[in-house]
Amino acid sequence: MAYAVTLIPGDGIGPELAEATTRVLEATGIAFEWDTQTAGEATIASEGTPLPDRVIDSIRHTGVAIKGPITTPVGSGFRSVNVGLRQALELYANVRPARTMRGVETRYEAVDLIVVRENTEDLYAGIEHRVGPDAAESIKIITRAASQRIARYAFEYALRNGRHKVTAVHKANIMKLSDGLFLESCQQIAAGYEGRVAFEDRIVDNMCMQLVQKPELYDVLVLPNLYGDIVSDLAAGLVGGLGVAPGANIGDSAAVFEPVHGSAPKYAGLNKANPTALILSGALMLRHLGETAAADRVESAVRSVIADGQTVTYDLGGHAGTREFGDAVAARVRGE
Ligand code: NAD
């Protein structure tokens, strides 16, 4: 049986990364029926929007998408495609693993974190207004329903993936009502997992210092939207930066897998960018589909090509192109 998957190559470096990634995923022997959907800059000219309805319809139909980065034109009036997709499909959990890899130069060893970020509310609800000429207000929305939903997701993720601890991150000492509700919701959910997954909480500023000083103490982190955005970039930085940071946006009826990085327009079409983050996002997709053995093979192939250091892209100190790196990973997946 072939898996029907929506493939959004994206723009900038996206199409090259998508090509390398589909080659790697197909090397697992699993059959995919790619429903390729263009979105982004190109469709603004041809269809008047960077996110045509057909893209969302396709994901509603397949339930799963892999997506390259998409440029958000500054000042064009179009909403970010990434935010649009998350809202239209109610992709409430943003999951970003950060794990050290041999061959990727970093200051740390043995970092293995999963950042679970609430994706739908908080200051990102976009409710802000000017109060006269010299002041502005942004409204932070935190609900029990969304906080419990993300906490439950984090605990279920921990159980499914053999992780031992969830840390809730907040600033409830200052924002006693909003962050207080987030923390209280996490504590309520944690009670249902007692004895199976450990639970603790940290204030976000202390969390940042702890992650820089002793990241190996942490496992799964669950955060409201804004702290999740910031802390997931911090975590990506601990393990080697954007080129190697995969991500997933998960909802109850659809999931979109995409790298943390953007479309890096200056490298578009140059066969230069590192496809690792999109390939590892593909491995997350395989796990989501229940293809655990194939996901393991893809991840260890990426790790071994990077550890060898012979066929790596410029950002990892090598001279290989996007295509050559992808081909080297695909060959290892096939066991060549
Ligand atoms: P970016 O991530 O595109 O690039 C920042 C820098 O990181 C690049 O110049 C490059 O040096 C490096 N880099 C990123 N990805 C790399 C890769 N795969 N291999 C090697 N080096 C890589 O961030 P930006 O410049 O802030 O954003 C460019 C565009 O991307 C903007 O329009 C932004 O809105 C969009 N964006 C899209 C997404 C998404 O689609 N999910 C995410 C972030 C940014």
Side-chain angles (χ1 to χ4, degrees), residues 24-75:
V24 169
L25 293 175
E26 285 168 0
T28 62
I30 292 170
F32 295 96
E33 228 171 71
W34 303 113
D35 181 10
T36 303
Q37 296 285 336
T38 51
E41 274 181 324
T43 68
I44 295 180
S46 58
E47 297 174 59
T49 167
L51 182 57
D53 287 345
R54 61 175 165 73
V55 181
I56 292 168
D57 291 344
S58 168
I59 304 173
R60 286 212 172 101
H61 179 68
T62 60
V64 56
I66 183 148
K67 172 185 163 297
I70 289 179
T71 307
T72 302
V74 177

mmCIF file of all heavy atoms in Angstrom, residues 24-75:
data_model
loop_
_atom_site.group_PDB
_atom_site.id
_atom_site.type_symbol
_atom_site.label_atom_id
_atom_site.label_comp_id
_atom_site.label_asym_id
_atom_site.label_seq_id
_atom_site.Cartn_x
_atom_site.Cartn_y
_atom_site.Cartn_z
ATOM 1 N N VAL A 24 15.409 10.205 -0.427
ATOM 2 C CA VAL A 24 15.782 9.472 0.791
ATOM 3 C C VAL A 24 14.596 8.651 1.307
ATOM 4 O O VAL A 24 14.739 7.478 1.655
ATOM 5 C CB VAL A 24 16.284 10.446 1.886
ATOM 6 C CG1 VAL A 24 16.423 9.746 3.226
ATOM 7 C CG2 VAL A 24 17.604 11.082 1.465
ATOM 8 N N LEU A 25 13.407 9.279 1.338
ATOM 9 C CA LEU A 25 12.241 8.561 1.878
ATOM 10 C C LEU A 25 11.892 7.361 0.996
ATOM 11 O O LEU A 25 11.545 6.284 1.492
ATOM 12 C CB LEU A 25 11.045 9.517 2.002
ATOM 13 C CG LEU A 25 11.216 10.627 3.045
ATOM 14 C CD1 LEU A 25 10.045 11.589 3.015
ATOM 15 C CD2 LEU A 25 11.385 10.041 4.455
ATOM 16 N N GLU A 26 12.033 7.525 -0.324
ATOM 17 C CA GLU A 26 11.716 6.405 -1.225
ATOM 18 C C GLU A 26 12.757 5.297 -1.119
ATOM 19 O O GLU A 26 12.452 4.125 -1.360
ATOM 20 C CB GLU A 26 11.584 6.913 -2.661
ATOM 21 C CG GLU A 26 10.261 7.652 -2.846
ATOM 22 C CD GLU A 26 10.163 8.445 -4.146
ATOM 23 O OE1 GLU A 26 11.134 8.431 -4.924
ATOM 24 O OE2 GLU A 26 9.112 9.079 -4.356
ATOM 25 N N ALA A 27 13.979 5.660 -0.710
ATOM 26 C CA ALA A 27 15.036 4.639 -0.552
ATOM 27 C C ALA A 27 14.697 3.649 0.561
ATOM 28 O O ALA A 27 15.271 2.562 0.636
ATOM 29 C CB ALA A 27 16.382 5.315 -0.269
ATOM 30 N N THR A 28 13.755 3.988 1.433
ATOM 31 C CA THR A 28 13.367 3.054 2.505
ATOM 32 C C THR A 28 12.574 1.872 1.951
ATOM 33 O O THR A 28 12.362 0.883 2.642
ATOM 34 C CB THR A 28 12.458 3.753 3.557
ATOM 35 O OG1 THR A 28 11.260 4.188 2.896
ATOM 36 C CG2 THR A 28 13.144 4.919 4.220
ATOM 37 N N GLY A 29 12.105 1.998 0.683
ATOM 38 C CA GLY A 29 11.296 0.927 0.097
ATOM 39 C C GLY A 29 9.806 1.132 0.337
ATOM 40 O O GLY A 29 8.975 0.420 -0.222
ATOM 41 N N ILE A 30 9.482 2.119 1.175
ATOM 42 C CA ILE A 30 8.065 2.424 1.414
ATOM 43 C C ILE A 30 7.536 3.199 0.199
ATOM 44 O O ILE A 30 8.238 4.053 -0.346
ATOM 45 C CB ILE A 30 7.915 3.252 2.705
ATOM 46 C CG1 ILE A 30 8.274 2.367 3.895
ATOM 47 C CG2 ILE A 30 6.514 3.821 2.860
ATOM 48 C CD1 ILE A 30 8.400 3.097 5.188
ATOM 49 N N ALA A 31 6.306 2.866 -0.213
ATOM 50 C CA ALA A 31 5.750 3.543 -1.384
ATOM 51 C C ALA A 31 4.957 4.778 -0.957
ATOM 52 O O ALA A 31 4.200 4.734 0.024
ATOM 53 C CB ALA A 31 4.851 2.582 -2.151
ATOM 54 N N PHE A 32 5.183 5.863 -1.675
ATOM 55 C CA PHE A 32 4.443 7.108 -1.410
ATOM 56 C C PHE A 32 3.724 7.538 -2.680
ATOM 57 O O PHE A 32 4.251 7.389 -3.782
ATOM 58 C CB PHE A 32 5.410 8.239 -0.997
ATOM 59 C CG PHE A 32 6.107 7.975 0.300
ATOM 60 C CD1 PHE A 32 7.383 7.425 0.310
ATOM 61 C CD2 PHE A 32 5.500 8.274 1.509
ATOM 62 C CE1 PHE A 32 8.038 7.163 1.504
ATOM 63 C CE2 PHE A 32 6.149 8.023 2.708
ATOM 64 C CZ PHE A 32 7.417 7.466 2.706
ATOM 65 N N GLU A 33 2.545 8.070 -2.501
ATOM 66 C CA GLU A 33 1.835 8.710 -3.606
ATOM 67 C C GLU A 33 1.882 10.185 -3.293
ATOM 68 O O GLU A 33 1.118 10.671 -2.446
ATOM 69 C CB GLU A 33 0.381 8.250 -3.557
ATOM 70 C CG GLU A 33 -0.199 7.774 -4.854
ATOM 71 C CD GLU A 33 -1.551 7.149 -4.574
ATOM 72 O OE1 GLU A 33 -2.487 7.917 -4.245
ATOM 73 O OE2 GLU A 33 -1.638 5.911 -4.628
ATOM 74 N N TRP A 34 2.818 10.905 -3.903
ATOM 75 C CA TRP A 34 2.995 12.324 -3.562
ATOM 76 C C TRP A 34 1.933 13.153 -4.254
ATOM 77 O O TRP A 34 1.795 13.077 -5.484
ATOM 78 C CB TRP A 34 4.378 12.819 -4.009
ATOM 79 C CG TRP A 34 5.532 12.052 -3.446
ATOM 80 C CD1 TRP A 34 6.399 11.255 -4.136
ATOM 81 C CD2 TRP A 34 5.972 12.014 -2.079
ATOM 82 N NE1 TRP A 34 7.345 10.717 -3.283
ATOM 83 C CE2 TRP A 34 7.112 11.169 -2.014
ATOM 84 C CE3 TRP A 34 5.523 12.614 -0.903
ATOM 85 C CZ2 TRP A 34 7.791 10.903 -0.838
ATOM 86 C CZ3 TRP A 34 6.203 12.353 0.273
ATOM 87 C CH2 TRP A 34 7.316 11.509 0.293
ATOM 88 N N ASP A 35 1.191 13.937 -3.512
ATOM 89 C CA ASP A 35 0.292 14.909 -4.118
ATOM 90 C C ASP A 35 1.001 16.258 -4.007
ATOM 91 O O ASP A 35 0.952 16.929 -2.977
ATOM 92 C CB ASP A 35 -1.052 14.928 -3.361
ATOM 93 C CG ASP A 35 -2.019 15.926 -3.989
ATOM 94 O OD1 ASP A 35 -1.713 16.427 -5.093
ATOM 95 O OD2 ASP A 35 -3.055 16.211 -3.369
ATOM 96 N N THR A 36 1.722 16.621 -5.081
ATOM 97 C CA THR A 36 2.569 17.814 -5.024
ATOM 98 C C THR A 36 1.711 19.072 -5.169
ATOM 99 O O THR A 36 0.922 19.194 -6.103
ATOM 100 C CB THR A 36 3.640 17.759 -6.137
ATOM 101 O OG1 THR A 36 4.376 16.552 -5.962
ATOM 102 C CG2 THR A 36 4.584 18.946 -6.067
ATOM 103 N N GLN A 37 1.865 19.979 -4.223
ATOM 104 C CA GLN A 37 1.071 21.207 -4.186
ATOM 105 C C GLN A 37 2.010 22.402 -4.073
ATOM 106 O O GLN A 37 2.770 22.502 -3.119
ATOM 107 C CB GLN A 37 0.134 21.193 -2.963
ATOM 108 C CG GLN A 37 -0.912 20.111 -2.978
ATOM 109 C CD GLN A 37 -2.045 20.420 -3.958
ATOM 110 O OE1 GLN A 37 -2.301 21.579 -4.297
ATOM 111 N NE2 GLN A 37 -2.729 19.381 -4.409
ATOM 112 N N THR A 38 1.945 23.288 -5.068
ATOM 113 C CA THR A 38 2.759 24.500 -4.972
ATOM 114 C C THR A 38 2.053 25.502 -4.053
ATOM 115 O O THR A 38 0.832 25.541 -3.961
ATOM 116 C CB THR A 38 2.955 25.151 -6.364
ATOM 117 O OG1 THR A 38 1.673 25.289 -6.960
ATOM 118 C CG2 THR A 38 3.849 24.307 -7.247
ATOM 119 N N ALA A 39 2.880 26.283 -3.371
ATOM 120 C CA ALA A 39 2.358 27.352 -2.507
ATOM 121 C C ALA A 39 3.487 28.363 -2.362
ATOM 122 O O ALA A 39 4.638 28.050 -2.662
ATOM 123 C CB ALA A 39 1.969 26.792 -1.138
ATOM 124 N N GLY A 40 3.143 29.570 -1.925
ATOM 125 C CA GLY A 40 4.192 30.560 -1.690
ATOM 126 C C GLY A 40 4.265 31.593 -2.792
ATOM 127 O O GLY A 40 3.267 31.888 -3.466
ATOM 128 N N GLU A 41 5.487 32.115 -2.999
ATOM 129 C CA GLU A 41 5.677 33.247 -3.914
ATOM 130 C C GLU A 41 5.078 33.017 -5.291
ATOM 131 O O GLU A 41 4.392 33.868 -5.841
ATOM 132 C CB GLU A 41 7.178 33.532 -4.046
ATOM 133 C CG GLU A 41 7.703 34.440 -2.968
ATOM 134 C CD GLU A 41 9.188 34.747 -3.129
ATOM 135 O OE1 GLU A 41 9.933 33.853 -3.561
ATOM 136 O OE2 GLU A 41 9.577 35.884 -2.805
ATOM 137 N N ALA A 42 5.327 31.810 -5.842
ATOM 138 C CA ALA A 42 4.904 31.540 -7.222
ATOM 139 C C ALA A 42 3.396 31.625 -7.378
ATOM 140 O O ALA A 42 2.896 32.123 -8.401
ATOM 141 C CB ALA A 42 5.389 30.157 -7.649
ATOM 142 N N THR A 43 2.652 31.172 -6.377
ATOM 143 C CA THR A 43 1.200 31.140 -6.556
ATOM 144 C C THR A 43 0.554 32.508 -6.282
ATOM 145 O O THR A 43 -0.616 32.699 -6.585
ATOM 146 C CB THR A 43 0.533 30.058 -5.672
ATOM 147 O OG1 THR A 43 0.655 30.426 -4.311
ATOM 148 C CG2 THR A 43 1.131 28.682 -5.893
ATOM 149 N N ILE A 44 1.328 33.441 -5.711
ATOM 150 C CA ILE A 44 0.771 34.797 -5.545
ATOM 151 C C ILE A 44 0.485 35.374 -6.934
ATOM 152 O O ILE A 44 -0.590 35.924 -7.195
ATOM 153 C CB ILE A 44 1.744 35.714 -4.771
ATOM 154 C CG1 ILE A 44 1.908 35.207 -3.335
ATOM 155 C CG2 ILE A 44 1.239 37.161 -4.774
ATOM 156 C CD1 ILE A 44 2.835 36.035 -2.473
ATOM 157 N N ALA A 45 1.454 35.186 -7.857
ATOM 158 C CA ALA A 45 1.268 35.711 -9.210
ATOM 159 C C ALA A 45 0.180 34.945 -9.956
ATOM 160 O O ALA A 45 -0.687 35.546 -10.593
ATOM 161 C CB ALA A 45 2.599 35.626 -9.967
ATOM 162 N N SER A 46 0.191 33.607 -9.851
ATOM 163 C CA SER A 46 -0.720 32.824 -10.700
ATOM 164 C C SER A 46 -2.114 32.668 -10.101
ATOM 165 O O SER A 46 -3.093 32.548 -10.830
ATOM 166 C CB SER A 46 -0.108 31.455 -10.983
ATOM 167 O OG SER A 46 0.147 30.795 -9.756
ATOM 168 N N GLU A 47 -2.223 32.647 -8.757
ATOM 169 C CA GLU A 47 -3.531 32.354 -8.156
ATOM 170 C C GLU A 47 -3.994 33.428 -7.171
ATOM 171 O O GLU A 47 -5.026 33.288 -6.524
ATOM 172 C CB GLU A 47 -3.497 30.982 -7.465
ATOM 173 C CG GLU A 47 -3.228 29.837 -8.453
ATOM 174 C CD GLU A 47 -3.040 28.492 -7.772
ATOM 175 O OE1 GLU A 47 -3.945 28.038 -7.068
ATOM 176 O OE2 GLU A 47 -1.955 27.896 -7.951
ATOM 177 N N GLY A 48 -3.157 34.468 -7.021
ATOM 178 C CA GLY A 48 -3.567 35.599 -6.181
ATOM 179 C C GLY A 48 -3.457 35.347 -4.685
ATOM 180 O O GLY A 48 -3.913 36.158 -3.880
ATOM 181 N N THR A 49 -2.870 34.224 -4.299
ATOM 182 C CA THR A 49 -2.687 33.930 -2.874
ATOM 183 C C THR A 49 -1.509 32.962 -2.709
ATOM 184 O O THR A 49 -1.304 32.096 -3.553
ATOM 185 C CB THR A 49 -3.951 33.290 -2.253
ATOM 186 O OG1 THR A 49 -3.602 32.767 -0.966
ATOM 187 C CG2 THR A 49 -4.515 32.167 -3.103
ATOM 188 N N PRO A 50 -0.753 33.119 -1.614
ATOM 189 C CA PRO A 50 0.349 32.161 -1.396
ATOM 190 C C PRO A 50 -0.156 30.823 -0.836
ATOM 191 O O PRO A 50 0.604 29.861 -0.783
ATOM 192 C CB PRO A 50 1.236 32.878 -0.366
ATOM 193 C CG PRO A 50 0.327 33.828 0.343
ATOM 194 C CD PRO A 50 -0.756 34.205 -0.620
ATOM 195 N N LEU A 51 -1.424 30.786 -0.399
ATOM 196 C CA LEU A 51 -1.947 29.533 0.171
ATOM 197 C C LEU A 51 -3.319 29.210 -0.448
ATOM 198 O O LEU A 51 -4.370 29.448 0.161
ATOM 199 C CB LEU A 51 -2.054 29.660 1.696
ATOM 200 C CG LEU A 51 -2.542 28.413 2.451
ATOM 201 C CD1 LEU A 51 -1.659 27.207 2.177
ATOM 202 C CD2 LEU A 51 -2.614 28.690 3.952
ATOM 203 N N PRO A 52 -3.313 28.679 -1.687
ATOM 204 C CA PRO A 52 -4.599 28.352 -2.325
ATOM 205 C C PRO A 52 -5.346 27.274 -1.526
ATOM 206 O O PRO A 52 -4.718 26.423 -0.883
ATOM 207 C CB PRO A 52 -4.182 27.803 -3.696
ATOM 208 C CG PRO A 52 -2.764 28.255 -3.907
ATOM 209 C CD PRO A 52 -2.154 28.380 -2.546
ATOM 210 N N ASP A 53 -6.680 27.317 -1.608
ATOM 211 C CA ASP A 53 -7.504 26.348 -0.861
ATOM 212 C C ASP A 53 -7.158 24.901 -1.220
ATOM 213 O O ASP A 53 -7.281 24.007 -0.385
ATOM 214 C CB ASP A 53 -9.001 26.573 -1.162
ATOM 215 C CG ASP A 53 -9.504 27.830 -0.479
ATOM 216 O OD1 ASP A 53 -8.795 28.331 0.421
ATOM 217 O OD2 ASP A 53 -10.586 28.318 -0.861
ATOM 218 N N ARG A 54 -6.725 24.676 -2.481
ATOM 219 C CA ARG A 54 -6.428 23.292 -2.900
ATOM 220 C C ARG A 54 -5.330 22.659 -2.025
ATOM 221 O O ARG A 54 -5.306 21.447 -1.844
ATOM 222 C CB ARG A 54 -6.019 23.247 -4.388
ATOM 223 C CG ARG A 54 -4.779 24.057 -4.676
ATOM 224 C CD ARG A 54 -4.275 23.948 -6.113
ATOM 225 N NE ARG A 54 -3.326 25.002 -6.382
ATOM 226 C CZ ARG A 54 -2.089 25.037 -5.910
ATOM 227 N NH1 ARG A 54 -1.634 24.048 -5.163
ATOM 228 N NH2 ARG A 54 -1.289 26.055 -6.175
ATOM 229 N N VAL A 55 -4.426 23.502 -1.475
ATOM 230 C CA VAL A 55 -3.342 22.966 -0.638
ATOM 231 C C VAL A 55 -3.945 22.405 0.660
ATOM 232 O O VAL A 55 -3.655 21.274 1.063
ATOM 233 C CB VAL A 55 -2.295 24.061 -0.312
ATOM 234 C CG1 VAL A 55 -1.175 23.484 0.540
ATOM 235 C CG2 VAL A 55 -1.745 24.683 -1.586
ATOM 236 N N ILE A 56 -4.818 23.203 1.255
ATOM 237 C CA ILE A 56 -5.457 22.772 2.508
ATOM 238 C C ILE A 56 -6.372 21.573 2.245
ATOM 239 O O ILE A 56 -6.377 20.605 3.012
ATOM 240 C CB ILE A 56 -6.223 23.948 3.140
ATOM 241 C CG1 ILE A 56 -5.197 24.984 3.611
ATOM 242 C CG2 ILE A 56 -7.081 23.488 4.311
ATOM 243 C CD1 ILE A 56 -5.786 26.299 3.995
ATOM 244 N N ASP A 57 -7.093 21.621 1.128
ATOM 245 C CA ASP A 57 -7.973 20.487 0.779
ATOM 246 C C ASP A 57 -7.164 19.201 0.648
ATOM 247 O O ASP A 57 -7.573 18.142 1.114
ATOM 248 C CB ASP A 57 -8.712 20.749 -0.547
ATOM 249 C CG ASP A 57 -9.735 21.863 -0.391
ATOM 250 O OD1 ASP A 57 -10.078 22.194 0.767
ATOM 251 O OD2 ASP A 57 -10.177 22.413 -1.420
ATOM 252 N N SER A 58 -5.991 19.311 0.008
ATOM 253 C CA SER A 58 -5.154 18.117 -0.177
ATOM 254 C C SER A 58 -4.731 17.544 1.180
ATOM 255 O O SER A 58 -4.810 16.330 1.405
ATOM 256 C CB SER A 58 -3.920 18.460 -1.012
ATOM 257 O OG SER A 58 -2.994 17.395 -0.947
ATOM 258 N N ILE A 59 -4.319 18.414 2.097
ATOM 259 C CA ILE A 59 -3.860 17.916 3.408
ATOM 260 C C ILE A 59 -5.040 17.345 4.198
ATOM 261 O O ILE A 59 -4.907 16.333 4.883
ATOM 262 C CB ILE A 59 -3.145 19.018 4.225
ATOM 263 C CG1 ILE A 59 -1.993 19.599 3.430
ATOM 264 C CG2 ILE A 59 -2.644 18.456 5.555
ATOM 265 C CD1 ILE A 59 -1.322 20.798 4.058
ATOM 266 N N ARG A 60 -6.216 17.984 4.049
ATOM 267 C CA ARG A 60 -7.400 17.420 4.731
ATOM 268 C C ARG A 60 -7.655 16.012 4.221
ATOM 269 O O ARG A 60 -8.062 15.132 4.971
ATOM 270 C CB ARG A 60 -8.637 18.285 4.453
ATOM 271 C CG ARG A 60 -8.607 19.574 5.231
ATOM 272 C CD ARG A 60 -10.013 20.045 5.618
ATOM 273 N NE ARG A 60 -9.890 21.171 6.522
ATOM 274 C CZ ARG A 60 -10.036 22.440 6.177
ATOM 275 N NH1 ARG A 60 -10.368 22.749 4.942
ATOM 276 N NH2 ARG A 60 -9.861 23.402 7.068
ATOM 277 N N HIS A 61 -7.388 15.810 2.932
ATOM 278 C CA HIS A 61 -7.656 14.510 2.315
ATOM 279 C C HIS A 61 -6.600 13.462 2.724
ATOM 280 O O HIS A 61 -6.940 12.361 3.143
ATOM 281 C CB HIS A 61 -7.686 14.688 0.795
ATOM 282 C CG HIS A 61 -7.935 13.431 0.057
ATOM 283 N ND1 HIS A 61 -9.143 12.767 0.112
ATOM 284 C CD2 HIS A 61 -7.124 12.665 -0.726
ATOM 285 C CE1 HIS A 61 -9.069 11.668 -0.604
ATOM 286 N NE2 HIS A 61 -7.856 11.571 -1.115
ATOM 287 N N THR A 62 -5.312 13.838 2.641
ATOM 288 C CA THR A 62 -4.249 12.853 2.931
ATOM 289 C C THR A 62 -3.997 12.737 4.436
ATOM 290 O O THR A 62 -3.524 11.705 4.911
ATOM 291 C CB THR A 62 -2.918 13.256 2.269
ATOM 292 O OG1 THR A 62 -2.525 14.537 2.783
ATOM 293 C CG2 THR A 62 -3.041 13.328 0.747
ATOM 294 N N GLY A 63 -4.225 13.823 5.182
ATOM 295 C CA GLY A 63 -3.985 13.827 6.626
ATOM 296 C C GLY A 63 -2.526 14.064 6.989
ATOM 297 O O GLY A 63 -2.193 14.225 8.157
ATOM 298 N N VAL A 64 -1.646 14.099 5.979
ATOM 299 C CA VAL A 64 -0.226 14.271 6.312
ATOM 300 C C VAL A 64 0.500 14.994 5.176
ATOM 301 O O VAL A 64 0.243 14.733 3.996
ATOM 302 C CB VAL A 64 0.421 12.900 6.643
ATOM 303 C CG1 VAL A 64 0.266 11.911 5.532
ATOM 304 C CG2 VAL A 64 1.876 13.041 7.005
ATOM 305 N N ALA A 65 1.357 15.941 5.552
ATOM 306 C CA ALA A 65 2.096 16.705 4.538
ATOM 307 C C ALA A 65 3.542 16.869 4.959
ATOM 308 O O ALA A 65 3.845 16.935 6.156
ATOM 309 C CB ALA A 65 1.453 18.087 4.355
ATOM 310 N N ILE A 66 4.397 16.911 3.929
ATOM 311 C CA ILE A 66 5.785 17.310 4.195
ATOM 312 C C ILE A 66 6.015 18.584 3.407
ATOM 313 O O ILE A 66 5.604 18.693 2.256
ATOM 314 C CB ILE A 66 6.790 16.183 3.878
ATOM 315 C CG1 ILE A 66 8.190 16.642 4.236
ATOM 316 C CG2 ILE A 66 6.697 15.690 2.448
ATOM 317 C CD1 ILE A 66 9.101 15.554 4.701
ATOM 318 N N LYS A 67 6.635 19.557 4.062
ATOM 319 C CA LYS A 67 6.637 20.906 3.502
ATOM 320 C C LYS A 67 8.013 21.542 3.568
ATOM 321 O O LYS A 67 8.643 21.563 4.625
ATOM 322 C CB LYS A 67 5.625 21.740 4.304
ATOM 323 C CG LYS A 67 5.614 23.188 4.007
ATOM 324 C CD LYS A 67 4.676 23.936 4.917
ATOM 325 C CE LYS A 67 4.994 25.404 4.857
ATOM 326 N NZ LYS A 67 6.340 25.735 5.349
ATOM 327 N N GLY A 68 8.471 22.076 2.430
ATOM 328 C CA GLY A 68 9.688 22.884 2.414
ATOM 329 C C GLY A 68 9.357 24.272 2.935
ATOM 330 O O GLY A 68 8.181 24.614 3.111
ATOM 331 N N PRO A 69 10.387 25.092 3.169
ATOM 332 C CA PRO A 69 10.124 26.446 3.685
ATOM 333 C C PRO A 69 9.459 27.328 2.634
ATOM 334 O O PRO A 69 9.615 27.099 1.433
ATOM 335 C CB PRO A 69 11.522 26.959 4.011
ATOM 336 C CG PRO A 69 12.445 26.160 3.153
ATOM 337 C CD PRO A 69 11.811 24.819 2.995
ATOM 338 N N ILE A 70 8.729 28.315 3.098
ATOM 339 C CA ILE A 70 8.032 29.248 2.212
ATOM 340 C C ILE A 70 8.323 30.668 2.656
ATOM 341 O O ILE A 70 8.228 31.002 3.846
ATOM 342 C CB ILE A 70 6.514 28.956 2.229
ATOM 343 C CG1 ILE A 70 6.256 27.635 1.485
ATOM 344 C CG2 ILE A 70 5.720 30.091 1.603
ATOM 345 C CD1 ILE A 70 4.818 27.203 1.439
ATOM 346 N N THR A 71 8.702 31.507 1.685
ATOM 347 C CA THR A 71 9.006 32.909 1.976
ATOM 348 C C THR A 71 7.732 33.644 2.383
ATOM 349 O O THR A 71 6.701 33.472 1.738
ATOM 350 C CB THR A 71 9.589 33.572 0.699
ATOM 351 O OG1 THR A 71 10.678 32.759 0.257
ATOM 352 C CG2 THR A 71 10.055 34.988 0.955
ATOM 353 N N THR A 72 7.836 34.445 3.442
ATOM 354 C CA THR A 72 6.713 35.317 3.790
ATOM 355 C C THR A 72 7.080 36.710 3.299
ATOM 356 O O THR A 72 7.952 37.362 3.874
ATOM 357 C CB THR A 72 6.510 35.363 5.326
ATOM 358 O OG1 THR A 72 6.291 34.030 5.780
ATOM 359 C CG2 THR A 72 5.319 36.213 5.693
ATOM 360 N N PRO A 73 6.449 37.165 2.191
ATOM 361 C CA PRO A 73 6.849 38.477 1.661
ATOM 362 C C PRO A 73 6.555 39.575 2.682
ATOM 363 O O PRO A 73 5.448 39.630 3.220
ATOM 364 C CB PRO A 73 5.980 38.644 0.411
ATOM 365 C CG PRO A 73 5.246 37.361 0.220
ATOM 366 C CD PRO A 73 5.311 36.580 1.491
ATOM 367 N N VAL A 74 7.566 40.402 2.958
ATOM 368 C CA VAL A 74 7.391 41.439 3.979
ATOM 369 C C VAL A 74 6.529 42.550 3.412
ATOM 370 O O VAL A 74 6.760 43.027 2.293
ATOM 371 C CB VAL A 74 8.773 41.992 4.420
ATOM 372 C CG1 VAL A 74 8.611 43.122 5.435
ATOM 373 C CG2 VAL A 74 9.618 40.870 4.988
ATOM 374 N N GLY A 75 5.499 42.934 4.140
ATOM 375 C CA GLY A 75 4.691 44.094 3.765
ATOM 376 C C GLY A 75 3.768 43.870 2.577
ATOM 377 O O GLY A 75 3.203 44.804 2.043
#
